[in-house]
Amino acid sequence: MSAEEVVKAIGDLANPDDFVKLEAENTIAMSIPEQLDTIHEEIVKKEYPKQIKTSLIEILQSVKDESSIEVFAQLLHDQNKWVRRASSSALADYGDVAIPTLLELAEDKSWRARGGAVWALAKIGNPDTVDVFIKAAKDEKSFVRSGSVFGLGSIGTPDAKAALEELVENDKSGYVKYNAKEFLAKFEEEDDEQ
């Protein structure tokens, strides 16, 4: 399959006809791995709407080629929140393999990229990343702090519990406080059962 055919199929992902969209998805999926670089080049282009980008993310996520990790990382800077959210979920699916890239993104100047990285790391839940969540719990943006709560809650070490307690005491976001309390209550319940 040629690069031109793949690019045409990518454009067809926005077609209102479901049959045309399905054919386009099949064409793109069948072009992998030969045209993976073409797909990577196209997905980061600004002119594509979220519908096309999220469809491509889904296709790439199902293939799980590690070369897509950097592309998903770039998409955490996309202007559309649904594209960023889908990219964050895709990165989480790679598990520990994506952690080095996500650790870099957790320090990004863009709070949206930082937040997407922290949320992906929270889904992975590797205890070695607890320091990232402790730092993110102090981020200026509640979106980043919210992700840290879920990371701290999935890890549950004494340091993580202490950070959650601090969030319950001091955070300005009701959402952050509520979820931090929920995780602390869950830990207490688990301790009582032992």
Side-chain angles (χ1 to χ4, degrees):
M1 198 157 307
S2 72
E4 292 75 23
E5 289 172 302
V6 171
V7 172
K8 182 193 176 311
I10 288 171
D12 285 344
L13 290 172
N15 194 300
D17 184 328
D18 287 340
F19 180 75
V20 173
K21 280 194 283 197
L22 185 60
E23 283 296 307
E25 288 171 0
N26 289 335
T27 298
I28 295 163
M30 289 180 355
S31 76
I32 298 172
E34 294 82 18
Q35 294 298 332
L36 191 57
D37 288 344
T38 301
I39 298 166
H40 286 165
E41 288 168 19
E42 292 297 309
I43 195 172
V44 295
K45 290 184 176 176
K46 287 186 164 84
E47 64 263 22
Y48 286 120
K50 76 171 182 190
Q51 177 185 1
I52 287 179
K53 288 187 176 189
T54 54
S55 293
L56 286 173
I57 290 167
E58 204 173 287
I59 292 166
L60 290 174
Q61 189 174 359
S62 70
V63 174
K64 227 176 193 171
D65 187 288
E66 288 183 22
S67 67
S68 295
I69 290 173
E70 290 305 318
V71 174
F72 292 137
Q74 281 184 0
L75 290 172
L76 287 183
H77 293 93
D78 196 89
Q79 291 304 303
N80 186 278
K81 75 176 182 178
W82 300 108
V83 171
R84 293 190 306 270
R85 193 174 286 180
S87 297
S88 177
S89 292
L91 284 162
D93 277 356
Y94 283 90
D96 289 348
V97 176
I99 288 177
T101 300
L102 290 167
L103 291 175
E104 277 182 45
L105 285 162
E107 300 290 330
D108 200 278
K109 65 181 182 189
S110 162
W111 65 268
R112 291 178 173 100
R114 277 196 318 274
V118 170
W119 277 95
L121 286 165
K123 288 177 187 171
I124 295 169
N126 185 318
D128 293 340
T129 60
V130 70
D131 291 342
V132 173
F133 300 121
I134 291 171
K135 181 178 180 185
K138 295 171 175 52
D139 197 275
E140 64 181 320
K141 295 293 186 175
S142 63
F143 175 61
V144 180
R145 295 193 312 274
S146 297
S148 77
V149 168
F150 284 85
L152 294 165
S154 70
I155 292 172
T157 61
D159 287 351
K161 290 177 187 175
L164 287 169
E165 288 167 356
E166 190 174 319
L167 287 167
V168 169
E169 290 291 317
N170 302 314
D171 203 88
K172 292 178 177 91
S173 164
Y175 181 79
V176 170
K177 280 186 172 196
Y178 174 81
N179 285 302
K181 280 182 191 174
E182 288 293 304
F183 279 113
L184 288 170
K186 183 184 111 185
F187 295 142
E188 241 178 70
E189 197 175 291
E190 289 170 0
D191 289 345
D192 290 344
E193 289 173 5
Q194 291 178 358

